Amino acid sequence: MRKAYISSDRLTFLMYKKLIQPHTIVRLNLLTIIWWCDMNNKNISQNINQNENDNELQNLQELGQVNIPDFESSIFTLPIIGEIEGHGELPQGRKSTKYEHVIPQLLAVEQNPKYEGLFLIINTVGGDVEAGLALSELISSMKKPSVSLVIGGGHSIGVPLSVSTNHSFIAPTASMTIHPIRTSGLVIAVSQSFEYFKRMQERIVSFVEKNSKIQKDRFEELMLNNREMANDLGSILVGQNAVDEGLIDSVGGLSDALIKIQELIDERKAEN
């Protein structure tokens, strides 16, 4: 049934011309209210549908899928993927993790009571040494429980990131490359340059030794290994090898990491 809007001025005019009786005004006004409610509900429904369509389009553009799980978790998941971007911006088209984006997220996890723990998922080729080491230091200094899971690869500066959490996991087929630090661009061939690289490398070795079970001498031996790579120094550890060397705590996957971080959260609650 189609209902038309009748204004108060129009009702007054009809009554003056005696084209409408007073007792019918209540019914007409009621119809007007019903019509307005119907139109308002239709507008609300259209807005909801439009918002849902916009959200699906945004998910499709950013995540490659239309529907994503709608679940509020107390564990904050932080992916470290691609190359870790530091003071210099990487070329367009290369996957990267910008450390200036990660730092506020770590601050939010530590301060927001909504989050009880941090889950770090790592698949990185490495990147800026100081940026990666800075993130590693921040994560290791957090009071809230943290767990890392290396999938694919945790290479180069990804090694300190992998061991920066309270407990570390590596997937059975994931690998980690340990090698001396390197640089690109202009290098002045003087003793001071080599001394700088040595000190930088000592910072990385010291952090890894402090946050894992591997010994300093063994880590340096793996770093300077010249029998494994054709064009570089270093070693590649795959899955269980990283655990056997004391670099990573356990071999496992997603469910193992989630179970462990929940255990750490429960322990922290019991202590408090």
Side-chain angles (χ1 to χ4, degrees):
M1 177 180 178
R2 184 179 180 184
K3 308 176 183 66
Y5 174 75
I6 302 177
S7 66
S8 58
D9 293 338
R10 180 63 175 167
L11 287 173
T12 304
F13 174 77
L14 292 175
M15 289 177 61
Y16 176 76
K17 293 294 185 179
K18 297 183 180 181
L19 298 175
I20 188 172
Q21 299 299 321
H23 65 271
T24 63
I25 294 177
V26 175
R27 182 174 181 273
L28 288 172
N29 282 338
L30 180 60
L31 291 176
T32 302
I33 294 173
I34 294 174
W35 174 86
W36 183 86
C37 290
D38 287 344
M39 293 300 297
N40 193 47
N41 289 335
K42 288 179 181 178
N43 291 334
I44 293 175
S45 299
Q46 289 175 355
N47 290 335
I48 292 175
N49 292 334
Q50 182 64 37
N51 289 336
E52 290 178 350
N53 293 335
D54 292 343
N55 290 335
E56 289 182 355
L57 180 60
Q58 184 177 1
N59 292 336
L60 183 62
Q61 292 174 339
E62 295 184 359
L63 303 176
Q65 58 185 22
V66 175
N67 297 318
I68 58 175
D70 185 13
F71 174 69
E72 290 291 334
S73 175
S74 61
I75 300 172
F76 187 89
T77 302
L78 179 62
I80 304 293
I81 54 95
E83 189 170 347
I84 299 169
E85 187 176 281
H87 304 297
E89 189 173 0
L90 292 172
Q92 188 176 4
R94 297 176 66 174
K95 290 280 188 179
S96 67
T97 297
K98 300 178 183 293
Y99 87 116
E100 69 269 22
H101 293 176
V102 176
I103 291 174
Q105 295 182 71
L106 295 176
L107 180 64
V109 175
E110 186 74 350
Q111 289 189 318
N112 193 339
K114 171 185 175 182
Y115 299 114
E116 298 177 326
L118 173 67
F119 182 27
L120 202 65
I121 299 181
I122 299 174
N123 187 9
T124 177
V125 296
D128 189 284
V129 174
E130 288 199 338
L133 195 57
L135 294 178
S136 302
E137 290 282 7
L138 285 176
I139 295 170
S140 66
S141 64
M142 293 177 65
K143 292 183 178 180
K144 291 187 177 179
S146 57
V147 168
S148 64
L149 172 61
V150 179
I151 56 173
H155 306 296
S156 191
I157 198 62
V159 173
L161 281 165
S162 303
V163 304
S164 63
T165 55
N166 299 128
H167 195 93
S168 57
F169 285 90
I170 185 171
T173 59
S175 63
M176 305 180 73
T177 303
I178 304 171
H179 62 74
I181 66 168
R182 60 191 66 167
T183 187
S184 59
L186 178 64
V187 177
I188 302 175
V190 293
S191 60
Q192 289 89 337
S193 297
F194 294 102
E195 185 65 24
Y196 169 77
F197 290 144
K198 182 180 178 181
R199 290 184 180 180
M200 178 68 73
Q201 193 159 286
E202 287 176 352
R203 291 164 60 189
I204 297 172
V205 173
S206 175
F207 181 87
V208 172
E209 181 190 22
K210 179 182 175 181
N211 291 275
S212 69
K213 300 172 185 176
I214 195 169
Q215 298 298 316
K216 177 181 178 181
D217 293 341
R218 179 55 181 165
F219 187 73
E220 289 180 340
E221 182 182 348
L222 293 171
M223 182 182 290
L224 301 175
N225 181 19
N226 61 0
R227 300 183 302 273
E228 191 164 338
M229 298 184 186
N231 300 321
D232 198 356
L233 295 176
S235 303
I236 300 175
L237 304 178
V238 180
Q240 186 63 46
N241 299 133
V243 178
D244 295 338
E245 293 288 354
L247 189 61
I248 298 295
D249 294 317
S250 308
V251 174
L254 180 62
S255 60
D256 301 303
L258 291 176
I259 291 172
K260 184 61 181 181
I261 193 170
Q262 191 59 55
E263 289 177 357
L264 295 175
I265 291 172
D266 293 339
E267 290 176 4
R268 185 170 185 262
K269 288 180 179 180
E271 291 175 358
N272 297 334

